[in-house]
Amino acid sequence: MIRLQHIVFAVGLVLSVGADYDPNWDSLDSRPLPQWYDDAKVGIFIHWGVFSVPSFGSEWFWEYWQGQKLPQFVSFMEQNYRPGFTYADFAAQFTAEFYDPDQWADIFKAAGARYIVLTTKHHEGFTNWPSNHSWNWNSMDLGPKRDLVGDLAAAIRSKAPDVHFGLYHSLFEWFNPIYNQDKDNNFKTSDFVTGKTMPELYELVNNYEPEVIWSDGDAGPDWYWNSTVFLAWLFNESPVKETVVVNDRWGDGISCHHGSYYTCADRYSPGVLQPHKWENCFTLDKASWGYRRNAPAGDYLTIHDVLTQLASTVSCGGNVLINVGPTHDGMIPPIMEERLRQLGSWLDVNGAGIYGSRPWKVQNDTVTHGIWYTANHDLTYAIVLQWPKHNTLTLGSVKPSDQTTIKMLGFDGELKFTPLTQGMNVTFPDLSSVTSEWAWVLEMAGVTPS
Ligand SMILES: *[C@@H]1O[C@H](CO)[C@@H](O)[C@H](O)[C@H]1NC(C)=O
Ligand SMILES: *[C@@H]1O[C@H](CO)[C@@H](O)[C@H](O)[C@H]1NC(C)=O
Ligand SMILES: *[C@@H]1O[C@H](CO)[C@@H](O)[C@H](O)[C@H]1NC(C)=O
């Protein structure tokens, strides 16, 4: 006999499976994070736009030159461009003649990335796709004369099908008079949101089916941006409702509090375990997201810097989103390509400690600086960023047992260990047979936190 409460229970179960999210943060935040994102760990961010033409100082070039009028930017224009040259004039030189999306897809795949996020429109307002809502200020009417977004989407899906395709979009635009009018009205009017921002976002999702939406430029309250209405549609009805993830920049005060995952601040890297899924987005060029012709080699992260960010981020429950800035002609600069390929070659050997991992009970070692832990099922991984003196490494946080085995990824054979009162010493093998020179990963079975 089936009792009434069983039927009620069964109906409730069905309803919660086909969940319908309401346009408020409590409801939207109750959506489980699609697992692919937590497993992915490594993404690549691509900042490309008209700012890639001056490629001087920052992707904030227009704002620094004509908004804040910073002397460095004003004099750069005075010295190098004719009087009366406008920011819009740069668009003609956004030529993208070497843009080969298949080649980009190969590089991202070789980097070991599991997702990418491309700027579709930065704060300058120029759309990298032929938007019906950006008349004469888009990549089909000007510059490349191409659908930059659509061409990369197609290349990723055919050449790198394991890489999830994501898109960045700026809600606001520095100099858009309609936005500025709404702002001057204390956001009591919303002509910019209804006529520009929202139509663009729906157009992007319906045309390109991104699995990440990386929102930015959220200057204004979330009710002004109508963010929750868009997100409820995205999670309930959109073509990507099952797999899409979104970040947290959807209006004043929302970042670090709501969204599938938190970015909090650019280059957010807290160094301690976080209670909510998060992402550390950082740039290979330390000073800029867009390409900078005036960046010397020393301004780029080394591969060791990149692996340091990767290790601490993944240990603390985050993903890394590593930014490259292509040139106006469509190249990923060789120094950036080299970093990405170095990362991929490291991940080829050491990926078991990264992809699909979860935080361990301890994040970094209590004794030895520069050791970060992850876990994957019954295995514990120690990512070692500094080679120990005398080839003996003290792991203060790991307690061995009778069952303990320790391997170094990329090296055949077991490592020897000696228990200590607190932790253990591990003796490394002969280095000549170890593949990596930048950071090493120990795979340990049968250990517990000490
Ligand atoms: C723009 O509108 C036309 C006509 O409705 C449509 O065919 C086209 O796909 C739209 N473009 C985008 C990017 O949605
Ligand atoms: C928000 O979206 C809803 C549903 O599409 C719409 O009715 C409303 O006008 C929008 N509000 C603003 C301020 O754009
Ligand atoms: C572990 O990480 C924390 C936070 O980043 C740091 O303060 C601490 O010094 C680290 N411990 C060691 C032994 O490096």
Side-chain angles (χ1 to χ4, degrees):
M1 195 173 92
I2 299 169
R3 295 199 186 157
L4 183 60
Q5 60 262 44
H6 289 169
I7 294 170
V8 171
F9 176 74
V11 169
L13 202 65
V14 168
L15 287 178
S16 71
V17 166
D20 235 6
Y21 298 99
D22 297 324
N24 64 65
W25 289 115
D26 276 352
S27 178
L28 297 168
D29 288 345
S30 73
R31 179 174 177 263
L33 178 71
Q35 170 133 5
W36 75 262
Y37 181 80
D38 193 19
D39 289 344
K41 308 301 184 194
V42 182
I44 291 171
F45 214 170
I46 306 145
H47 271 68
W48 202 29
V50 173
F51 52 80
S52 310
V53 175
S55 50
F56 172 82
S58 169
E59 74 291 344
W60 275 53
F61 184 91
W62 192 3
E63 165 66 16
Y64 289 161
W65 169 34
Q66 293 194 313
Q68 302 179 25
K69 298 188 168 53
L70 301 184
Q72 186 198 1
F73 292 82
V74 172
S75 68
F76 171 82
M77 288 308 295
E78 279 168 5
Q79 283 164 23
N80 297 292
Y81 291 86
R82 65 170 163 75
F85 192 94
T86 68
Y87 188 79
D89 291 332
F90 282 123
Q93 296 166 42
F94 186 16
T95 45
E97 67 268 44
F98 303 135
Y99 177 42
D100 179 350
D102 285 354
Q103 187 184 45
W104 285 23
D106 284 343
I107 293 171
F108 301 147
K109 191 175 157 182
R114 294 290 161 87
Y115 63 105
I116 64 162
V117 177
L118 170 69
T119 52
T120 61
K121 182 194 84 169
H122 199 260
H123 313 324
E124 64 188 13
F126 185 90
T127 62
N128 285 339
W129 81 102
S131 176
N132 284 328
H133 310 286
S134 190
W135 186 73
N136 251 5
W137 190 230
N138 65 70
S139 67
M140 191 61 86
D141 291 331
L142 283 174
K145 308 276 167 68
R146 258 176 103 159
D147 180 356
L148 304 176
V149 175
D151 290 349
L152 188 60
I156 291 288
R157 284 171 179 143
S158 74
K159 297 280 170 188
D162 295 336
V163 176
H164 296 260
F165 184 72
L167 296 176
Y168 164 109
H169 173 266
S170 174
L171 297 172
F172 95 131
E173 297 169 16
W174 289 310
F175 299 107
N176 193 305
I178 307 174
Y179 169 75
N180 285 326
Q181 192 174 45
D182 286 348
K183 190 177 156 192
D184 291 344
N185 292 334
N186 288 320
F187 300 114
K188 291 194 178 73
T189 54
S190 56
D191 296 342
F192 183 69
V193 179
T194 49
K196 188 84 169 55
T197 311
M198 281 303 142
E200 282 173 355
L201 276 170
Y202 286 92
E203 191 179 69
L204 281 173
V205 173
N206 286 320
N207 280 311
Y208 306 112
E209 304 191 1
E211 291 182 277
V212 180
I213 298 181
W214 212 103
S215 179
D216 195 19
D218 53 337
D222 60 336
W223 49 260
Y224 167 71
W225 293 118
N226 219 2
S227 303
T228 57
V229 173
F230 168 71
L231 292 172
W233 171 80
L234 187 71
F235 295 166
N236 292 334
E237 293 172 56
S238 80
V240 286
K241 63 182 177 181
E242 304 295 340
T243 55
V244 71
V245 297
V246 300
N247 73 340
D248 56 351
R249 300 188 184 184
W250 296 102
D252 297 339
I254 302 303
S255 178
C256 228
H257 294 99
H258 302 288
S260 312
Y261 68 86
Y262 298 167
T263 62
C264 301
D266 294 359
R267 303 181 182 82
Y268 184 60
S269 189
V272 291
L273 183 62
Q274 299 296 297
H276 192 274
K277 187 67 197 179
W278 63 285
E279 183 182 70
N280 174 4
C281 58
F282 62 90
T283 50
L284 289 179
D285 169 357
K286 289 174 205 169
S288 178
W289 299 83
Y291 178 57
R292 267 195 321 147
R293 285 179 292 143
N294 57 323
D299 281 5
Y300 287 88
L301 298 188
T302 64
I303 183 60
H304 192 265
D305 295 334
V306 172
L307 294 176
T308 302
Q309 288 302 317
L310 176 69
S312 67
T313 299
V314 172
S315 296
C316 296
N319 284 9
V320 291
L321 187 64
I322 305 170
N323 181 72
V324 297
T327 58
H328 77 278
D329 45 20
M331 292 298 291
I332 294 173
I335 191 167
M336 301 192 194
E337 178 181 346
E338 183 187 56
R339 287 298 174 276
L340 296 183
R341 290 188 184 278
Q342 287 171 325
L343 172 65
S345 70
W346 187 86
L347 284 164
D348 278 346
V349 174
N350 298 294
I354 302 290
Y355 301 121
S357 69
R358 296 291 177 268
W360 196 45
K361 292 175 193 87
V362 178
Q363 275 61 63
N364 59 336
D365 198 73
T366 48
V367 171
T368 307
H369 187 74
I371 298 180
W372 294 90
Y373 295 101
T374 64
N376 211 335
H377 297 99
D378 294 339
L379 299 172
T380 304
Y381 293 88
I383 305 164
V384 181
L385 295 164
Q386 262 94 40
W387 194 257
K389 289 192 180 98
H390 314 303
N391 277 9
T392 296
L393 181 74
T394 304
L395 297 185
S397 302
V398 184
K399 188 183 156 108
S401 69
D402 293 349
Q403 314 297 318
T404 296
T405 55
I406 305 181
K407 288 179 178 174
M408 180 191 283
L409 298 180
F411 174 77
D412 292 328
E414 278 187 30
L415 271 56
K416 295 193 175 61
F417 65 93
T418 330
L420 303 172
T421 351
Q422 175 86 20
M424 62 177 166
N425 274 344
V426 179
T427 310
F428 279 86
D430 170 22
L431 251 194
S432 60
S433 56
V434 175
T435 319
S436 174
E437 338 156 9
W438 305 309
W440 302 266
V441 177
L442 304 185
E443 185 181 72
M444 302 176 283
V447 298
T448 49
S450 69

